[in-house]
Amino acid sequence: MPGTGAGSKAAGNPRPPTPPIPAGPTDWFEDVTGKAGISFVQQFCHERIANILLSSGAGGAVFDYDNDGWVDIFLLNWGPLAGVTDPARCREREPNRLYRNRGDGTFEDVTLRAGLAGTGFGSAATAGDYDNDGFTDLYVANFGVNQLYRNRGDGTFEEIAASAGIDHPGAGISAVWLDADRDGWLDLYVANYLTYQPEAESEQNPGAYPGPLAYPGEPDVFYRNRGDGSFEDATRAAGLWAPRDRAMSISAFDCDLDGDTDIYVSNDDTPNALWLNDGQGRFTNVAMESGVAFNSIGDASGSMNAAIADVDGDGLPDLYITRLGYGSLYVRTPSGYYDDRMWASGLGLLTQKLVGWGGAFLDLDNDTDADLCIVNGSAFVLTGSETLLLENDGSGRFTDAGKAGGAFFQTPIDGRGNAVLDFDNDGRLDLLMTLLADRPVLLHNRHPLDHRWLKLQLEGTRSNRSGYGALITLTAGDRVQRGQAMCPTGFLMQGDARVHFGLGQASRVDRLEILWPSGTRQVLEDLPVDQILKVREPEL
Amino acid sequence: MKTRWFFLITVAVAAISGLLITRSDEKSHLLQSVSLRKMADSLHAVIAANRSVYFQLATQETHRGRMPIHAEVLRQANFAIQTEGAEFSYTLRSLRPINPRQGPQTEVEQRGLRIVAERPDEPYTTEEILGGRSYYTAIYAERATLAACVECHNAHPDSPRRDYRLGDVLGAVVVRIPLEF
């Protein structure tokens, strides 16, 4: 594809992209980006991080656009933006990229054929089958007008945001598909950052760019899917109107396991929101009383994203919040209150010197607990920071596994997005990261422990076709695990939506129970391990 | 002798300059000063938050036949300030907290609480980095200044210590000012 711009003048980048990072023979993870054929470089269009919008980065989504069983990779680009980028650095926008997974460890660039080159200053993407036709669609949040790419099912997409009524023109930084009212159609939550004013200056730090509080917040928008291919703005009707928020990312998950999808909004220098769903698609912000609005030192320092998993094996979903400032490990208690165990978990010390952006839980060794990977980077200078790979001892205490993780985790990068995927379907979870003004990094998991696993690919019938919102309880031997089928958005990125369970030494899954958003309960028993299991919701 | 002094001064100046240059290279955007307007805004934010939280809690707790608890007023006021977009924060901490969540949460808090417990007339101040963000942190001892403080801390079922006397250090207020953004 023309204009790949790897560090070229066309990309307007201040430096060449990070060269391939060779892995040692025993490294758990290997940088396979170049080997896999991913040549994308994010177009930065400036010599430095000169303003707050240039600090955030661009992401993408992992999804199987052609239903061949292999997840594909979509990456977003920036390009020139008046008042934000330097017009002398670049005049033309370089395209977004869709990389089709060939299934042999390599990808082919199918951007032009698919019609996904795009326009605008891209931030984040979210993938879901909004029209229940069996093909996963794509929504792109831009600083500027957002886009809805309907998957035609023939390998091509059409951009129909305007006719669908979701061509929102805000400072889009995140979006997520969820079926808020459980009517079987995916609704859409779009997060906006702030109202950028190029003339704003830092009052107290001459020469530095001003922080988020120098700009007015911008309300997020919630669109209800009418089921006819169009959407209506239902932000106020759903109780989600918050005009002063400065969102960075959205996570949609069932925090109280009551069968409906709740929403957590990570805000920049503004208290975070936990919107509790009443089951009918009406929400109430319970962040303050639940203990998830602030960090444990009582400030609302810039939150980037919420990674969600059960870190202590009690079956309740917990949250790890990455921040410019003290992060939070919010561990849910049976009362519904969250206990911030940032210090007690060891994460306070491990993350102390680093500004965290994309945080993602993954069971990296399939030993049944949720480990954590955090990509880091300064918000002010392109000097690079190391990525953290943190291993959970099963009780929610973490230790640094970067050395065993390999050479990549000793390499400074300007990390931003972070997504978990299994691109080679080998049952070991891989990682895809986006970097500021740089190439992405695709890390192949080569962990030596031969633990068992099960991956679920859900298909809703009465529920939304993507199966988002399904609650899963898995029993293998004496271990019971709870999972959720979520639209797995993190900071700027959506990961692999298939639900993955590490099983340790278990040789069979005794019982798998799925509570679909429609209320249908499905039970499967005595399942073989080490497989990707397609499960279709019973039509009754 | 003069040459030796000159050499030592030159080395010292070079070392200090080196430190400053290193720091400036690492974080050239750090806060250099606080404006009078910012200070007045911050003081006003605290006063306004205390007033509003006091009335809110007083109404709520009086209805239940109780007085608002000092720690709760402080906590709620800080949250109210954060909601308005404050560029500072404060929190109550103790080495022997009634609520375990009020125990030290960082290395600096751990160290500062010990120091102000020994020397309560002097605040402990330092810079710390949390999650990559630099803060100016000041820790002020909280003493039992009223009999009610002593009675409450000694009588509370969750209190890990029950022999407090007037003037004892119960904990500390930790004030943080981010040095960036």
Side-chain angles (χ1 to χ4, degrees), chain A residues 212-436:
Chain A
L213 294 175
Y215 305 93
E218 196 166 298
D220 299 340
V221 186
F222 172 69
Y223 292 106
R224 183 157 282 145
N225 189 336
R226 293 193 183 104
D228 62 359
S230 71
F231 294 77
E232 60 185 336
D233 182 341
T235 316
R236 286 185 170 84
L240 290 164
W241 178 247
R244 298 171 66 190
D245 279 6
R246 299 171 179 87
M248 293 293 275
S249 72
I250 305 297
S251 303
F253 72 113
D254 189 351
C255 74
D256 51 358
L257 304 178
D258 64 350
D260 57 40
T261 304
D262 311 296
I263 297 168
Y264 189 80
V265 184
S266 299
N267 284 313
D268 200 358
D269 274 9
T270 310
N272 295 341
L274 175 60
W275 295 100
L276 199 64
N277 192 338
D278 69 355
Q280 309 298 313
R282 286 183 297 272
F283 294 83
T284 309
N285 184 5
V286 297
M288 285 282 279
E289 54 265 46
S290 303
V292 292
F294 305 98
N295 60 15
S296 65
I297 60 168
D299 80 0
S301 53
S303 299
M304 310 304 186
N305 91 279
I308 294 155
D310 173 14
V311 299
D312 55 354
D314 67 353
L316 303 175
D318 310 307
L319 294 87
Y320 177 72
I321 313 297
T322 49
R323 285 202 179 92
L324 166 53
Y326 207 39
S328 292
L329 178 66
Y330 295 126
V331 177
R332 189 173 175 93
T333 64
S335 70
Y337 191 86
Y338 289 83
D339 196 8
D340 189 342
R341 294 192 198 152
M342 192 65 185
W343 190 248
S345 64
L347 290 173
L349 209 54
L350 289 162
T351 63
Q352 191 161 0
K353 304 289 182 193
L354 300 164
V355 177
W357 296 83
F361 283 114
L362 73 162
D363 185 353
L364 65 89
D365 48 2
N366 284 327
D367 68 348
T368 76
D369 58 32
D371 309 301
L372 182 58
C373 176
I374 306 168
V375 297
N376 303 294
S378 168
F380 304 98
V381 286
L382 292 166
T383 49
S385 301
E386 289 174 3
T387 303
L388 288 173
L389 186 68
L390 306 170
E391 196 163 13
N392 189 346
D393 70 357
S395 71
R397 281 195 61 83
F398 292 83
T399 49
D400 190 352
K403 201 171 170 189
F408 170 78
F409 296 95
Q410 275 79 56
T411 306
I413 60 161
D414 294 298
R416 291 299 187 265
N418 189 7
V420 177
L421 72 165
D422 184 1
F423 75 88
D424 54 353
N425 286 344
D426 69 347
R428 290 183 177 86
L429 292 173
D430 311 303
L431 288 158
L432 174 68
M433 297 154 185
T434 60
L435 281 52
L436 196 60

Side-chain angles (χ1 to χ4, degrees), chain A residues 131-143:
Chain A
D131 52 1
N132 289 336
D133 67 350
F135 295 95
T136 306
D137 311 294
L138 198 59
Y139 188 75
V140 173
N142 291 315
F143 287 123

Side-chain angles (χ1 to χ4, degrees), chain A residues 471-537:
Chain A
L471 298 177
I472 299 139
T473 307
L474 179 147
T475 307
D478 57 1
R479 180 88 166 89
V480 179
Q481 296 186 59
R482 280 190 174 153
Q484 301 189 21
M486 296 182 282
C487 182
T489 50
F491 183 66
L492 305 175
M493 301 276 289
Q494 173 173 326
D496 192 335
R498 296 174 295 181
V499 186
H500 182 94
F501 291 95
L503 300 173
Q505 304 290 352
S507 55
R508 306 287 291 179
V509 169
D510 301 311
R511 191 171 191 273
L512 184 75
E513 180 180 314
I514 303 170
L515 177 62
W516 293 87
S518 64
T520 304
R521 198 174 293 272
Q522 183 175 11
V523 176
L524 304 168
E525 291 180 318
D526 195 24
L527 300 168
V529 297
D530 292 351
Q531 64 159 330
I532 299 169
L533 184 65
K534 291 185 180 178
V535 184
R536 185 176 158 87
E537 180 183 14

Side-chain angles (χ1 to χ4, degrees), chain A residues 52 203-206 208-213 244 269-271 288 294-302 323-327 333 337-340 342-343 349 351-356 378-381, chain B residues 25-26 28-35 37-38 75-76 78-80 82-91 93 101 104-110 128-133 135 176 178-181:
Chain A
I52 197 161
E203 186 192 346
Q204 297 188 103
N205 291 9
Y209 68 81
L213 294 175
R244 298 171 66 190
D269 274 9
T270 310
M288 285 282 279
F294 305 98
N295 60 15
S296 65
I297 60 168
D299 80 0
S301 53
R323 285 202 179 92
L324 166 53
Y326 207 39
T333 64
Y337 191 86
Y338 289 83
D339 196 8
D340 189 342
M342 192 65 185
W343 190 248
L349 209 54
T351 63
Q352 191 161 0
K353 304 289 182 193
L354 300 164
V355 177
S378 168
F380 304 98
V381 286
Chain B
D25 280 351
E26 282 173 358
S28 58
H29 54 275
L30 285 186
L31 191 71
Q32 301 298 318
S33 65
V34 176
S35 71
R37 168 66 192 271
K38 191 70 79 179
R75 197 175 76 94
Q76 295 278 356
N78 176 55
F79 287 173
Q82 300 301 307
T83 306
E84 294 302 311
E87 293 173 66
F88 61 96
S89 67
Y90 53 88
T91 187
R93 290 284 188 249
R101 293 187 188 100
Q105 295 291 319
T106 71
E107 283 177 314
V108 162
E109 287 185 0
Q110 186 86 44
E128 64 179 327
I129 297 179
L130 297 171
R133 191 179 207 183
Y135 293 86
R176 281 192 177 86
L179 295 173
E180 44 201 315
F181 278 169

